[in-house]
């Protein structure tokens, strides 16, 4: 390789982009969607980080047997060692770039790659750092995180943690899709003290959940939805026989199950209106497509879905804000257009299989070009452990800086200050206002 | 912000792009699809411009109540003042960049933004300019517009304006989709002198429209279509009972309505063949999805449509040219491919929700890489008032210059002259030849 | 045009990209999917090249009548002369850029375009070069091709050619979709000596094909599939009556035909498992959409398909590798995601209507960001004549070099050597390992 044209001599446009990125990096964040367990928010070993399903499923996809990843009683260090054997096959992925960035930022790792030669030292260094008192606070501070939104089971007592730092959100997949399971109904009964035997008592039970969650400072109701779900208002009269049939032990037909799902979903929207909670919709996932996949690595999607399925919902609840995430990247134009037209539809982050730079950049550009700037929630980490916020948000900030530099400063002559203000609104301001209650 | 790396020191590739853009800017245009009212083509106040549904619907989406936008008897200046309160929320949108460009070009506006502090002066300046004699001609000249294609109701008398400047086009949505409405049938009867009571007389009435329109110099028949429409040839024998049922006052089943729509649509294609008119198809819009939206701000789409639905049509009418616009950006690859294969399928512009730079660039690149250059109609403004042609075509010319510079001059070593010639063909030459009759 | 800013003064990033491209250009290739006839692999006149359906269908699309292209007994030179009349209309297409590149590399052509003034000289030069002894070897060597995979009919004797250079692959479209044709059954009977009268004997016949093909060194079983095909396991008991009905001369209902197709398809997958052959799936083509199109220029697609249709297949055959090509570019994200999750799903090349630079770049970037590097087969030529490998692979190598330069060297600080190694794996290493048996 020649050395004459080293790419570290930055062009003007790269310098501009770097300046914007550095400004965006200063911003303290609120992360509006995560899967953090507030009782154990930070990692204790590298296995907590590399056990994230992105790594286990990619390693599995690259040939590591599930039995080696999920062996009962597997020692965390041994687990990391096994995953490391596949890291070279994944070195190109953005997910591994996050891993390296975490190791560099938090544990002083200096290599180009985590290999069989260096992983043990890294593991031990990480374990030592994570064992320091205040590791959780260190991570929050270093990552410039002010608040972290949670994804709480509907029967979470929401106790024993600081709800002004870790903000509760009511996750409702189980209620909408798994009420036919006895376990779900028992959890609901236990959490609310209400036995849901008909439409009325079911509604009342759900109302109790909203009461409990909002009393604890919840900022959103959230759900993930399969691609073929289409919310409809259901007459309670049509639900009672379904509930009766379910409670008598019959298994429901798919029509009956859908009636029940729609009824619960619509009820949630009604309570969102009453309690003034945004209703986060994460649209498009099929669960357990790959039954033999690793834990949390079994879900995929059918991109043949449309926001037209939500037409009745958006029309019926003008007072409810719907921050919407779409799993299929091809859904982004619909999302942009529906948000451009419906006052209550807001674009929200870059979800899961769409959360890679190529797709984020396309989607980010379209959203900045056609959605009112106040209706654009730029990013959430979706993380399970605190350490992930830093590399994920950094990836997004880099892309955002690139789009602001190109589409606004260069192409439209915006001042850098104005572009940065737009970036900050999308990164933080909108989170505060939209979920602020 | 540092000043060392100001982005105004243009790179070579930016300079190349600027040269191509400047050449394309010299070209006098024919705008092949607009909603101009030829009796009132230019604006009289800023309310005509800001009343464009793109601004009202975005302001509404950003929180301005419909009642404030559409208050009966609302004074134009007051309306603009109200819309201005939301402009800051929309400052990032490409639509607002058009607004600023119009105000700069036509009214000498020099600010970065239209605000509560400066809008009144701007409003008054604009009103004074628009009141000058020959404003319409000034706009046409300044915008380098030679001809403007219209979208005429089927019963438009096409009188009282210069049909060599404002070119009539027969818009047929009402005929295909609203014949069951008494009003439509009355308009048809009045326009043609034919009472359409059966397939034969309906066909005859439609024929009269083609006769009238082509006598007035019409250059196209046009229609917008919902995503699930699939044209089929219908036996007249199957239509007669539907018409009979309709005329007796019965409301049609959806099957009957579809039979009638297909029959009228197919009849239009037959007359396009007979009268040698291109048939503009604008595919993919669902009307009134958001019933409480502002005027013209209620339509959205379901991106799950395919050109395979038009297979029978394209095969049956090889002698008719079909310039096709798609609403869903994801339909672009099908459009490119169908145009690559079918001699009678031509790509046409960037429609509505696809008319933003990110999507235009992707679509423009793919079209230039795989569609014969003679079958590519680059752009139309879709404007309601003449002032919009300038910023919209300029946006397109900038993107086209970028694609020509990158994909042809830099990557393939084309001369600049050759690239500019390709650009001019796409911008104007093809419009002349395809609609030239 | 000014001369001050000539774009030949390359930027740093262009220089980097050029260095990577030059390294990738050195790599000797295995082309894992072509339509080469090993008995006549190279061209004998320019008509062999310009008779490629990409040129005939584009010329036809641009207005050249089919009767002129496919006139019986048409002299090759006359055919080229006729196609040349349309080349100017197609000069913008990537397909014509391949043609020019072939003429430059193989025949010393120096013009910017093939025109009515220069084509005859070019034709004669090409004919003379092609008549040289060892032309086939010259092309292979100049194109750096080490092995070329074929697409063989199931009844191909696979004799009379060097199967270590031209690698057999079992193409199975006829078996899966055309068994109801008497001709197909006769060919099957003749090739295997088995009369397929029921599920058992049909399976046995298919097994003979695998025996024959693998004995000759076949490396893959391959099939192209319509967008609505959804493989399902079929009980042999359900197939017997369908076969009986078919053999008695009845025409099959579409349900029966689908049952038979699914049974044969599933049987192929079973034999792929038994014989350890990868099963290439090329998903999404509708045949004969444009019945009056030129030869091989009649097929298009409906982009409304999903890999969810293959869920049962991927789960049922974990031991079979499925290299997957998708016709619709919008399917790429699903392909990336399914490959990220399923160990047996591998991404494969850029097929047909997706094989243009804009779409290749998008797809290449997403695949490199989210699919394990070992599961990514970068490119195949799909060529009918050897001369096409050079320009098609060069197009891909240029795009790959651009993506490696931008996304890995510049954005992530990878060394150039590491980026080139990734490129080589994707271009060649994976082909060797995945099809290596």
């Amino acid at each position: 390789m020649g050395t004459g044209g080293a790419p570290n001599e930055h062009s003007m446009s790269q310098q501009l982009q770097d300046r914007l990125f550095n400004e965006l990096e200063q911003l303290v964040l609120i992360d509006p969607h995560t899967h953090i367990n507030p009782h154990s928010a930070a990692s204790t070993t590298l296995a907590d980080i590399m056990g994230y399903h992105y790594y286990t499923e990619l390693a599995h996809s690259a040939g590591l047997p599930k039995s080696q990843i999920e062996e009962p009683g597997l020692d965390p260090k041994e687990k990391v060692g096994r995953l490391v054997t596949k890291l070279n096959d994944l070195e190109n992925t953005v997910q591994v770039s996050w891993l390296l960035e975490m190791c560099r930022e938090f544990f002083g790792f200096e290599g180009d790659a985590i290999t069989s030669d260096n992983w043990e030292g890294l593991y031990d260094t990480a374990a030592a750092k994570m064992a320091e008192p205040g590791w959780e606070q260190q991570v929050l501070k270093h990552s410039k995180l002010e608040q972290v939104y949670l994804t709480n089971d509907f029967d979470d007592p929401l106790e024993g943690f600081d709800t002004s730092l870790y903000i509760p959100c009511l996750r409702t997949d189980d209620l909408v899709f798994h009420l036919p399971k006895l376990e779900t109904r028992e959890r609901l009964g236990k959490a609310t003290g209400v036995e849901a035997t008909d439409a009325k008592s079911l509604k009342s039970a759900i109302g109790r959940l909203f009461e409990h969650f909002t009393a604890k400072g919840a900022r959103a109701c959230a759900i993930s939805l399969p691609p073929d779900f289409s919310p409809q208002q259901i007459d309670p009269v049509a639900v009672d026989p379904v509930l009766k049939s379910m409670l008598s032990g019959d298994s429901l037909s798919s029509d009956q199950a859908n009636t029940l799902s729609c009824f619960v979903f619509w009820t949630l929207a009604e309570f969102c209106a009453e309690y003034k909670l945004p209703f986060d919709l994460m649209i498009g996932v099929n669960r357990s497509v790959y039954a033999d996949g690793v834990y949390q690595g079994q879900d995929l999607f059918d991109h043949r879905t449309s926001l037209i399925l939500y037409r009745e919902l958006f029309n019926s609840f003008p007072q409810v804000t719907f921050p919407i995430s779409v799993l299929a990247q091809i859904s982004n134009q619909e999302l942009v257009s529906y948000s451009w037209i419906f006052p209550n539809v807001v674009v929200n982050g870059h979800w899961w299989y769409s959360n890679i730079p190529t797709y984020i950049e396309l989607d980010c550009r379209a959203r900045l070009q056609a959605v009112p700037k106040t209706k654009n929630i730029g990013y959430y980490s979706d993380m399970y452990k605190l350490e992930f916020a830093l590399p994920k948000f950094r990836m997004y900030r880099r892309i955002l800086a690139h789009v602001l530099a190109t589409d606004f400063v260069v192409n439209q002559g915006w001042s850098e200050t104005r572009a940065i203000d737009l970036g900050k609104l999308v990164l933080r301001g909108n989170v505060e206002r939209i979920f602020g209650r």
Side-chain angles (χ1 to χ4, degrees), chain A:
Chain A
M1 296 288 92
T3 55
N8 51 4
E9 225 183 86
H10 274 25
S11 67
M12 290 291 149
S13 74
Q14 187 63 48
Q15 288 175 27
L16 164 65
Q17 201 173 305
D18 290 349
R19 283 196 303 279
L20 299 186
F21 171 69
N22 288 332
E23 288 292 320
L24 296 178
E25 277 280 277
Q26 304 313 313
L27 191 66
V28 174
L29 296 176
I30 296 168
D31 188 340
H33 178 68
T34 77
H35 294 268
I36 290 294
N37 172 357
H39 307 290
S40 166
S43 301
T44 55
T45 73
L46 214 50
D48 286 340
I49 288 177
M50 289 186 63
Y52 182 36
H53 68 87
Y54 277 38
Y55 302 116
T56 54
E57 70 204 16
L58 280 166
H60 184 231
S61 170
L64 192 64
K66 182 177 173 176
S67 59
Q68 288 206 23
I69 301 169
E70 301 186 349
E71 187 183 321
L74 182 60
D75 174 74
K77 190 163 182 179
E78 172 66 17
K79 182 173 181 175
V80 169
R82 291 178 184 179
L83 289 165
V84 164
T85 65
K86 281 293 167 192
L87 278 185
N88 185 49
D89 287 359
L90 314 177
E91 63 162 356
N92 56 296
T93 61
V94 68
Q95 293 87 353
V96 167
S97 79
W98 303 335
L99 177 62
L100 284 169
E101 193 139 26
M102 284 184 273
C103 292
R104 284 179 195 131
E105 288 280 339
F106 294 118
F107 316 123
F109 183 71
E110 291 183 340
D112 281 338
I114 301 170
T115 66
S116 56
D117 290 335
N118 64 24
W119 77 269
E120 287 200 81
L122 174 63
Y123 186 93
D124 296 338
T125 305
K129 286 290 287 181
M130 290 163 171
E132 287 177 9
W135 174 245
E136 179 179 341
Q137 291 306 316
Q138 270 191 61
V139 174
L140 287 166
K141 192 174 170 200
H142 189 69
S143 308
K144 297 203 172 68
L145 278 176
E146 188 177 309
Q147 288 187 329
V148 174
Y149 284 38
L150 309 177
T151 293
N152 303 92
D153 286 337
F154 68 81
D155 56 343
D156 190 321
L158 306 175
E159 280 167 3
F161 63 90
D162 175 359
T163 57
S164 71
L165 167 58
Y166 295 114
I167 310 292
C169 293
L170 171 59
R171 181 71 174 234
T172 55
D173 301 47
D174 286 344
L175 292 170
V176 172
F177 296 110
H178 299 306
L179 213 53
K181 293 185 188 166
L182 178 59
E183 185 206 346
T184 310
R185 298 199 300 276
E186 287 178 351
R187 287 169 52 208
L188 182 61
K190 208 167 152 194
T192 63
V194 176
E195 207 186 343
T197 54
D198 56 12
K200 201 177 157 202
S201 54
L202 177 54
K203 211 162 190 162
S204 156
I206 294 170
R208 296 275 174 95
L209 300 176
F210 276 77
E211 211 179 316
H212 169 61
F213 268 74
T214 53
K216 295 286 188 178
R219 295 284 175 83
C221 176
I223 189 168
S224 74
L225 299 153
D228 60 353
F229 187 69
S230 181
Q232 309 293 335
Q233 183 165 20
I234 302 289
D235 191 325
V237 171
V239 180
D240 284 338
V242 175
L243 283 168
K244 196 168 182 181
S245 172
M246 180 181 80
L247 292 170
S248 73
D250 297 349
S251 72
L252 301 185
S253 72
S254 71
D255 270 2
Q256 287 179 312
N258 187 53
T259 295
L260 183 58
S261 291
C262 282
F263 176 75
V264 175
F265 183 89
W266 207 264
T267 301
L268 293 171
E270 290 169 345
F271 281 117
C272 283
E274 184 177 333
Y275 285 89
K276 299 190 197 314
L277 276 189
F279 196 175
D280 284 357
L281 307 183
M282 312 186 82
I283 296 174
V285 63
N286 290 115
R287 299 293 179 183
S288 296
V289 171
Y290 177 37
D292 292 330
V294 297
Y295 177 63
Q296 289 179 328
Q298 308 178 350
D299 306 333
L300 279 157
F301 61 105
D302 178 343
H303 65 179
R304 297 170 301 177
T305 185
S306 171
L307 291 181
I308 201 83
L309 301 173
Y310 293 80
R311 171 186 188 153
E312 188 181 334
L313 179 76
F314 299 152
N315 276 288
S316 300
F317 293 95
Q319 72 280 49
V320 174
T321 300
F322 296 98
I324 291 185
S325 299
V326 288
L327 191 52
Q329 193 265 334
I330 63 166
S331 295
N332 186 61
Q333 191 203 10
E334 281 195 356
L335 180 52
V336 165
S337 307
Y338 279 68
S339 180
W340 155 353
I341 292 298
F342 279 101
N344 52 341
V345 173
V346 163
V347 306
N348 191 18
H350 302 271
W351 189 32
W352 202 340
Y353 296 112
S354 287
N355 187 31
I356 65 174
T358 301
Y359 295 141
I360 294 172
E361 183 180 330
L362 278 175
D363 296 351
C364 174
R365 292 187 71 196
R367 293 173 187 187
L368 285 177
Q369 287 168 359
V371 175
K373 70 178 181 185
T374 49
K375 300 181 68 190
N376 185 340
I377 299 168
Y379 198 72
Y380 51 79
S381 74
D382 218 358
M383 64 184 167
Y384 287 76
K385 287 291 173 185
L386 283 186
E387 290 84 357
F388 280 89
L390 189 147
K392 286 183 150 191
F393 270 102
R394 186 171 285 171
M395 170 185 71
Y396 178 71
R397 293 196 235 220
R398 231 182 267 282
I399 295 165
L400 181 60
H402 172 69
V403 174
L404 292 171
T406 307
D407 290 6
F408 292 87
V409 179
V410 173
N411 286 354
Q412 294 191 54
W414 278 35
S415 72
E416 296 185 26
T417 309
R418 193 175 170 200
I420 290 162
D421 286 346
L422 175 56
K424 288 182 173 175
L425 185 71
V426 158
L427 263 168
R428 166 157 183 152
N430 287 333
V431 175
E432 284 184 275
R433 206 192 57 260
I434 292 168
F435 295 106
R437 307 198 343 115

